[in-house]
Amino acid sequence: MSLYCKEEDPPRKVLLVACDVYRPAAVEQLKTLAKTTNTTVFEKGTDMDPVDIARQAYTYAKDNGFDTMIVDTAGRQVPNPWLVDICHPCASSHR
């Protein structure tokens, strides 16, 4: 998904956010995959609450000119309304 966003015209500045704190290997996997597309990863390890990580990432994205934020979570079946609400303004404010 990040590669697709980066190849749009104009290209987007993508931030991947590692919020799967329940599987430590998932954070490392995301970082490895991000290297293949030269995409920035925001991660705080596995000792923080995923919602807190997403909040910090949102602030980081705004402060550093990212216009697209992709949040990698623990495979939740139902979207967290707060995460949807916080991610939507980040994406839509730069279109």
Side-chain angles (χ1 to χ4, degrees), residues 18 20-31 43 45-47:
D20 188 348
V21 298
Y22 307 107
R23 293 183 317 120
V27 174
E28 292 305 314
Q29 181 182 23
L30 186 65
K31 288 167 44 178
E43 61 101 1
T46 58
D47 294 330

Side-chain angles (χ1 to χ4, degrees), residues 1 10 15 22-23 26-27 30-32 60-61 66 74 79 82 85:
M1 184 184 284
L15 179 66
Y22 307 107
R23 293 183 317 120
V27 174
L30 186 65
K31 288 167 44 178
T32 299
Y60 179 86
F66 289 91
W82 180 87
D85 288 346

Side-chain angles (χ1 to χ4, degrees), residues 1-3 6 14-21 23-46 53 57 69-75:
M1 184 184 284
S2 66
L3 183 60
K6 292 174 80 165
V14 179
L15 179 66
L16 295 176
V17 183
C19 286
D20 188 348
V21 298
R23 293 183 317 120
V27 174
E28 292 305 314
Q29 181 182 23
L30 186 65
K31 288 167 44 178
T32 299
L33 291 171
K35 286 180 186 177
T36 67
T37 59
N38 196 29
T39 303
T40 302
V41 176
F42 184 92
E43 61 101 1
K44 293 291 183 176
T46 58
I53 295 171
M69 190 169 98
I70 301 172
V71 180
D72 180 45
T73 65

